[in-house]
Amino acid sequence: MRLILAIDGSPSSTAARDLVRRLPWPAGTIIDLVAAYEMPSAWAYDGAMVDEWISGIEASMRSMALEELAAAAEPFVGSDWVVEQHAIQGRDVSVILVRAAATQPDLIVLGSRGRGPIRSMLLGSTSAEVARQAEQSVLVARSDSIGKVLVATDGSRSAEETANLLASWGLLDGLPAVALSVAPVSSPAYELAVSLYTLGNEPIEAQRREMIETHRAYAHDMARELSESGIPADTEVRTGDPAHEILEAARQFGADLIITGSRDLRGPDEFLFGSVARNVLLHAEASVLIVRPRVAEVRHARSEEGQSQRASAVHA
């Protein structure tokens, strides 16, 4: 297993490091500690960089990043894991994403806020940007431990992937969990959409009951799969705005970790990420794990879908 752990010396970065250190990763896991440092373009005089001065500043910033990495690596000494350290010049988000593209980790871990000596790397907007753009699953840590887990499911492919992924990692075995599905049936927008879709021929209440039962099945299936994989889970179904209900359920349950999916698509699903997963990520008090389907499987599924569509067009 391989993961990227973003480091900037801030308290939230330290919490992310400590959370990683306390999780039972398999022996041989590669933990890639990455620190970004950026040379501001404003450091110029009459449009020309003062090479010697800038070179000294760059060396100082790199040295600072290496010191932060060395300090972050100390708690891992003596473990069965392989710890790598990389100080890379560039914008924080770009550094993380480029490194992830090069190494293809199973998971990217970062803090929720950055206020360390290396240019405030892990701002809330940065974690959201990494979570939105990365092809890998992303864990945004807000504490250094996990005791209870809330898993949100909407029946999508990424939700189906969640239980399999958690089972393969084995990091949350034995922790109590709640499998939650939220039916968005309590808003004027929903009622308008149902009315337009059905042209007023079917009662909205029947549509509402049907959707609630569908989400009840989603939650039941997720709870069963989690329990079978070693994470004992109860079921909960709510109605309303998904992000709000996920956050409220996590607060009431006392969850230290919220797990939700992102469908790893662009276009409409990117909007879905922005309206649900992003709101959960930015407003949760708990750590948040955004699960993405494995890249190879997503590409295979897209290829199959494209072939099916082409075949349908030929037969039409």
Tab-separated table of all heavy atoms in Angstrom, residues 142-167:
chain	number	residue	atom	x	y	z
A	142	ARG	N	-8.891	15.999	10.795
A	142	ARG	CA	-9.155	17.072	11.740
A	142	ARG	C	-8.817	16.654	13.179
A	142	ARG	O	-8.943	17.452	14.092
A	142	ARG	CB	-10.620	17.507	11.650
A	142	ARG	CG	-10.915	18.328	10.397
A	142	ARG	CD	-12.315	18.914	10.415
A	142	ARG	NE	-12.483	19.883	9.346
A	142	ARG	CZ	-12.883	19.587	8.115
A	142	ARG	NH1	-13.160	18.328	7.795
A	142	ARG	NH2	-13.004	20.528	7.202
A	143	SER	N	-8.459	15.405	13.370
A	143	SER	CA	-8.004	14.947	14.687
A	143	SER	C	-7.013	13.822	14.467
A	143	SER	O	-6.824	13.354	13.342
A	143	SER	CB	-9.191	14.457	15.532
A	143	SER	OG	-9.760	13.289	14.965
A	144	ASP	N	-6.373	13.389	15.561
A	144	ASP	CA	-5.317	12.388	15.420
A	144	ASP	C	-5.779	10.976	15.768
A	144	ASP	O	-4.952	10.084	15.982
A	144	ASP	CB	-4.115	12.767	16.296
A	144	ASP	CG	-4.491	12.917	17.768
A	144	ASP	OD1	-5.640	12.584	18.133
A	144	ASP	OD2	-3.637	13.377	18.548
A	145	SER	N	-7.105	10.760	15.847
A	145	SER	CA	-7.605	9.422	16.167
A	145	SER	C	-8.997	9.230	15.575
A	145	SER	O	-9.674	10.194	15.213
A	145	SER	CB	-7.643	9.200	17.682
A	145	SER	OG	-8.542	10.111	18.294
A	146	ILE	N	-9.400	7.965	15.485
A	146	ILE	CA	-10.727	7.606	14.981
A	146	ILE	C	-11.345	6.604	15.949
A	146	ILE	O	-10.740	5.571	16.239
A	146	ILE	CB	-10.655	6.991	13.576
A	146	ILE	CG1	-10.062	7.993	12.580
A	146	ILE	CG2	-12.044	6.554	13.108
A	146	ILE	CD1	-9.802	7.392	11.207
A	147	GLY	N	-12.557	6.917	16.435
A	147	GLY	CA	-13.255	6.007	17.336
A	147	GLY	C	-14.582	5.527	16.781
A	147	GLY	O	-14.988	4.385	17.005
A	148	LYS	N	-15.281	6.412	16.054
A	148	LYS	CA	-16.562	6.075	15.436
A	148	LYS	C	-16.579	6.583	14.001
A	148	LYS	O	-15.974	7.611	13.699
A	148	LYS	CB	-17.726	6.695	16.220
A	148	LYS	CG	-17.920	6.146	17.626
A	148	LYS	CD	-19.124	6.821	18.280
A	148	LYS	CE	-19.377	6.272	19.683
A	148	LYS	NZ	-20.550	6.914	20.315
A	149	VAL	N	-17.318	5.857	13.159
A	149	VAL	CA	-17.304	6.156	11.730
A	149	VAL	C	-18.728	6.306	11.207
A	149	VAL	O	-19.611	5.509	11.556
A	149	VAL	CB	-16.595	5.035	10.942
A	149	VAL	CG1	-16.540	5.379	9.459
A	149	VAL	CG2	-15.191	4.793	11.497
A	150	LEU	N	-18.955	7.327	10.398
A	150	LEU	CA	-20.214	7.462	9.675
A	150	LEU	C	-19.921	7.313	8.194
A	150	LEU	O	-19.068	8.021	7.650
A	150	LEU	CB	-20.881	8.805	9.950
A	150	LEU	CG	-22.256	8.966	9.275
A	150	LEU	CD1	-23.245	9.637	10.210
A	150	LEU	CD2	-22.146	9.765	7.970
A	151	VAL	N	-20.619	6.372	7.541
A	151	VAL	CA	-20.425	6.126	6.113
A	151	VAL	C	-21.688	6.552	5.378
A	151	VAL	O	-22.762	5.982	5.584
A	151	VAL	CB	-20.125	4.644	5.835
A	151	VAL	CG1	-19.893	4.433	4.339
A	151	VAL	CG2	-18.916	4.169	6.636
A	152	ALA	N	-21.568	7.565	4.531
A	152	ALA	CA	-22.710	8.049	3.750
A	152	ALA	C	-22.738	7.326	2.416
A	152	ALA	O	-21.703	7.156	1.766
A	152	ALA	CB	-22.599	9.557	3.530
A	153	THR	N	-23.922	6.892	1.997
A	153	THR	CA	-24.057	6.183	0.730
A	153	THR	C	-25.260	6.694	-0.042
A	153	THR	O	-26.294	7.028	0.541
A	153	THR	CB	-24.191	4.657	0.961
A	153	THR	OG1	-24.406	4.012	-0.306
A	153	THR	CG2	-25.359	4.329	1.881
A	154	ASP	N	-25.105	6.755	-1.361
A	154	ASP	CA	-26.210	7.163	-2.231
A	154	ASP	C	-26.444	6.150	-3.342
A	154	ASP	O	-27.139	6.427	-4.319
A	154	ASP	CB	-25.946	8.548	-2.827
A	154	ASP	CG	-24.719	8.566	-3.731
A	154	ASP	OD1	-24.029	7.522	-3.844
A	154	ASP	OD2	-24.427	9.621	-4.327
A	155	GLY	N	-25.849	4.963	-3.191
A	155	GLY	CA	-26.047	3.922	-4.184
A	155	GLY	C	-25.204	4.067	-5.432
A	155	GLY	O	-25.329	3.260	-6.349
A	156	SER	N	-24.318	5.069	-5.482
A	156	SER	CA	-23.489	5.294	-6.662
A	156	SER	C	-22.337	4.299	-6.700
A	156	SER	O	-22.097	3.544	-5.754
A	156	SER	CB	-22.933	6.718	-6.657
A	156	SER	OG	-22.063	6.892	-5.557
A	157	ARG	N	-21.577	4.333	-7.790
A	157	ARG	CA	-20.439	3.432	-7.939
A	157	ARG	C	-19.403	3.672	-6.852
A	157	ARG	O	-18.818	2.728	-6.305
A	157	ARG	CB	-19.797	3.602	-9.319
A	157	ARG	CG	-18.588	2.691	-9.529
A	157	ARG	CD	-18.047	2.806	-10.944
A	157	ARG	NE	-16.862	1.978	-11.101
A	157	ARG	CZ	-16.897	0.682	-11.323
A	157	ARG	NH1	-18.052	0.060	-11.394
A	157	ARG	NH2	-15.774	-0.009	-11.473
A	158	SER	N	-19.141	4.940	-6.504
A	158	SER	CA	-18.161	5.225	-5.464
A	158	SER	C	-18.642	4.716	-4.114
A	158	SER	O	-17.843	4.301	-3.279
A	158	SER	CB	-17.870	6.726	-5.393
A	158	SER	OG	-19.044	7.448	-5.103
A	159	ALA	N	-19.965	4.729	-3.889
A	159	ALA	CA	-20.502	4.181	-2.646
A	159	ALA	C	-20.311	2.669	-2.602
A	159	ALA	O	-19.969	2.090	-1.567
A	159	ALA	CB	-21.984	4.527	-2.509
A	160	GLU	N	-20.527	2.015	-3.739
A	160	GLU	CA	-20.298	0.573	-3.801
A	160	GLU	C	-18.832	0.241	-3.541
A	160	GLU	O	-18.508	-0.769	-2.925
A	160	GLU	CB	-20.703	0.044	-5.186
A	160	GLU	CG	-22.207	0.126	-5.459
A	160	GLU	CD	-22.539	-0.327	-6.870
A	160	GLU	OE1	-21.590	-0.661	-7.612
A	160	GLU	OE2	-23.727	-0.348	-7.214
A	161	GLU	N	-17.947	1.089	-4.005
A	161	GLU	CA	-16.520	0.871	-3.828
A	161	GLU	C	-16.094	1.017	-2.375
A	161	GLU	O	-15.107	0.407	-1.940
A	161	GLU	CB	-15.747	1.866	-4.700
A	161	GLU	CG	-14.239	1.825	-4.549
A	161	GLU	CD	-13.611	0.644	-5.269
A	161	GLU	OE1	-14.347	-0.133	-5.899
A	161	GLU	OE2	-12.381	0.506	-5.187
A	162	THR	N	-16.827	1.802	-1.591
A	162	THR	CA	-16.407	2.137	-0.239
A	162	THR	C	-16.177	0.913	0.627
A	162	THR	O	-15.110	0.763	1.250
A	162	THR	CB	-17.455	3.056	0.428
A	162	THR	OG1	-17.532	4.282	-0.296
A	162	THR	CG2	-17.068	3.356	1.866
A	163	ALA	N	-17.168	0.037	0.713
A	163	ALA	CA	-17.030	-1.132	1.586
A	163	ALA	C	-15.875	-2.013	1.140
A	163	ALA	O	-15.103	-2.509	1.986
A	163	ALA	CB	-18.334	-1.925	1.603
A	164	ASN	N	-15.722	-2.211	-0.166
A	164	ASN	CA	-14.626	-3.034	-0.666
A	164	ASN	C	-13.276	-2.417	-0.332
A	164	ASN	O	-12.331	-3.115	0.062
A	164	ASN	CB	-14.742	-3.206	-2.188
A	164	ASN	CG	-15.965	-3.997	-2.594
A	164	ASN	OD1	-16.436	-4.848	-1.848
A	164	ASN	ND2	-16.476	-3.725	-3.782
A	165	LEU	N	-13.185	-1.099	-0.486
A	165	LEU	CA	-11.935	-0.412	-0.217
A	165	LEU	C	-11.573	-0.493	1.263
A	165	LEU	O	-10.434	-0.807	1.624
A	165	LEU	CB	-12.050	1.048	-0.652
A	165	LEU	CG	-10.749	1.848	-0.690
A	165	LEU	CD1	-9.824	1.304	-1.756
A	165	LEU	CD2	-11.040	3.319	-0.953
A	166	LEU	N	-12.534	-0.234	2.135
A	166	LEU	CA	-12.269	-0.290	3.572
A	166	LEU	C	-11.877	-1.702	4.000
A	166	LEU	O	-11.006	-1.885	4.858
A	166	LEU	CB	-13.494	0.173	4.351
A	166	LEU	CG	-13.905	1.647	4.140
A	166	LEU	CD1	-15.161	1.955	4.940
A	166	LEU	CD2	-12.776	2.592	4.518
A	167	ALA	N	-12.514	-2.710	3.402
A	167	ALA	CA	-12.177	-4.097	3.729
A	167	ALA	C	-10.748	-4.424	3.306
A	167	ALA	O	-10.005	-5.090	4.037
A	167	ALA	CB	-13.165	-5.047	3.063
